[in-house]
Amino acid sequence: MNIRSVAGQMFVLQVVIVLLLVVAGVVALLIQSHSDRFAAARDRSLAAAEAFAHGPGLVATMQGPDPSAVLQPLAEAARRGAKVDFIVVADRNGIRYTHPAPEQIGKKFVGTIGPSLEGRVTFEQVHGPLGQEYQVVVPVEDSHGAVVGVVSSGMKVADVSSALNRQLPVVLGAGTVALGLATAGTALVGRRLLRQTRGLGPEEMTRMYEHHDAVLHAVREGVAIVGGDGRVLLANDEARRLLDLPPDPEGRAVADLGLDPRTTELLLSDSVVTDEVLPVGGRLLAVNNRPTDRAGGPPGSVTTLRDSTELLALVGKAEVARGRLRLLYDASVAIGTTLDVRRTAEELARMAAREFCDYAAVDLAEEVLRGEEPQTLVVGAPVVLRRVAVSGVRDDSPLYPQGELVRWAGNTPQAAVFVHGQSALVPALAADAGWREQDAERTQAALEFGLASLIAVPLTARGVVMGTACFWRRRGRGPFEEDDLSLAEELAARAAVSVDNARRFTREHTLAVTLQHSLLPRALPEQSALDIAYRYLPAQAGVGGDWFDVIPLPGTRVALVVGDVVGHGLHAAATMGRLRTAVQNFSTLDLPPDELLGHLDELVAHIDQETAAVEGAPAITGATCLYAIYDPTHATCVLARAGHPPPALVHPDGRAELLDLPAGPPLGVGGMPFEATEVLLPQGSSLVLYTDGLVEDRTRDIGSGLDILTASLAHPGRSPQEVCEAVLDALLSARQTDDIAVLVARTRVLAPDRIAEWEVASAPEAVAQARAEATRQLTEWGLDEAVFVTELVLSELVTNAIRYATGPITVRLLYDRTLICEVSDTSSTAPHLRYAVADDEGGRGLFLVARLGERWGVRYTPEGKIIWVEQFL
């Protein structure tokens, strides 16, 4: 490295500085190490002396007959453990009890003990028996605080210094390494500076500056440097050309160059200016200004200028393109937020009217709104479309309003676009004959309103034209151009995909809802035990597996059912239909609620097994159900549930509560029996059955939902219809994510005078007595026309009970919407209907009963069975 070069001179200077810094660092480390060693010796000596002075039994030993015999071995052990040179114990007169040199025991302590006798700790250097020593003297106090002696601990100064000497080579070695590393780093910096200056000396650097000055004047960007006194220090050729400066501007004041005020202000400014566009002599200059004194440099500023006249035109076109890309991006975000056809059309119209045009409208075929594909039309045929959305800067435009069914003439741009599937650009509406043929009065009003230009584009997705989107501009904004047509087509194409997705969802949702509704009760059956109202609301996103049912049972009883299949979609709806059919079939067997749920549980488990055997088939993963049987003759209700929310009971006085029923496992889980509970329901009570979609959603847990439910039910005197409305008003959320089924049943009680019951003796002659009693009761009820059939039915049923059953026999007549005859006995034998041949002596009894009555059947009780026959009145 040449010492005459800039890099060589900088290297020598940096090496000298680094050497001085390393020497200073080594000296500082030596001083600090010396201080640290003496501090460590002091701390170690103090800890040893303090520990020994406060040792248990020291005072008693010192006051004993022979302290040295006891303390000498202890002091030596403590000295070796603390790694100090000595631990000396002395009395108040300074006579030693211990010392590393046993011959020094009994001699006078060397050092100062006066401050320690007053209770203070003394630090000092003395010349003792072991040589020059650094020692600590600590007082020994008895239990009353009186000083009875001292303990001294310390180290020889030679030992401390020797440790320091051992560290000195390490410190010097570290300093040497640091010097070597610093020298190497300086050499690297010097080499880098050498590469940057290319080994040039001052003369060479001067020549390089001249070369750079020549380049500065050759670039196509103006550069002007102004000093702190406002005079031009440098202006290259491009700056002179752009600002039209005189040939020799250097050294002249900027204010004397004849520039316009804004240009002068920028050249003299000491503030930062970035890409400010400045008109100068028919040019548009992009000006940048930076002060030169921000990093400690000389006052002044550097200004760069470049001609951006052509660039500005390109920027304008780029800004237009950027605006269109932003519009398309905003449209992709704002259009298609829901799977609703009308909502998607409204989003398209609002987006276009806000940023692309003054007015926008979307017309769709009626089939699209129903989820279907529109029919193909012939050329020239009128097109009937529904105005689904319209938006604009004002609400009083003469355009067709939203919701109107518009019949477009065959020559209009809208009809041509829908039939051909190709866009239409109408720059001047006043000159377009086809558009004016639609409605002369309305089109004239549109022209007077200011509409001047139109673009109509088809809404096409997957090769299907679903409707049209029309965009209008008023006269003040200028007509549409070809670039606007391509933007409108792109905007409509993106919206059409969302419209088609919504259409397909509408079709699938409609099919699923139709299937679901076909599986639910079409109408409530006729019965007199309960006054019933219901509400069923399918989820907005898709159908589910919720269902309910009302099933009349023999003996004027009514079964109420509410269930929920886990999951959504067609599979859940189909499974719901299977379970509802199964419940109806099980109900015909007149099973108790707990037994019916047991059979239903086995059915769900069987369905799950079938589903699991089919690869790719969706699983049910469970279902819930609540089954209740209300008997109006006793005003009682027997309920059982399988994982379903508990029913609510509204008493006649308006008090509402949730019935405490055993929960039971969900259907399909198996392994646990179900338990039924009997509840007394006074006349006028309301039993409310529901699914979990009513009380639980994403923003509300089921506990809060049940509290709101009971609060909304706590009102007396409301009809079942009013109860349904109140419950939905209180609990229905804005975004319903699950099906909701609500069943409200207000109880009625069969009047006692409509019930006749008596026991029959188990003897043949009792049959006549039963017929006589039945005749008397029917006559009292005014049912004389039913006497003959009833006598025959009772004769057969009572005779069979006497012949084949045991125990008491009971006859009960119920007068409700029908006349019901019941004969109960203690036998569990099931009667069977059969056809007797000509030579059979029996077997025709039940046949006659089945022919004379409208319905008949058997239900079993804990005591036996009941055979019943129902007659229409």
Side-chain angles (χ1 to χ4, degrees), residues 180-192:
L181 292 176
T183 304
T186 303
L188 293 177
V189 173
R191 290 184 61 186
R192 182 174 180 86

Side-chain angles (χ1 to χ4, degrees), residues 725-749:
E725 296 298 334
V727 167
L728 293 179
D729 290 343
L731 290 167
L732 188 61
S733 60
R735 179 63 179 173
Q736 181 188 338
T737 59
D738 195 5
D739 291 6
I740 294 177
V742 181
L743 186 64
V744 180
R746 186 169 61 184
T747 61
R748 299 172 182 168
V749 176

Side-chain angles (χ1 to χ4, degrees), residues 53-54 58-60 62-63 90-92 113-120 138-151:
H54 293 86
L58 177 61
V59 175
M62 293 176 65
Q63 295 174 352
D91 61 7
R92 289 182 59 85
I113 65 173
S116 299
L117 294 178
E118 295 177 1
R120 297 196 300 272
V138 177
V140 179
E141 299 177 350
D142 60 9
S143 59
H144 301 288
V147 178
V148 299
V150 296
V151 175

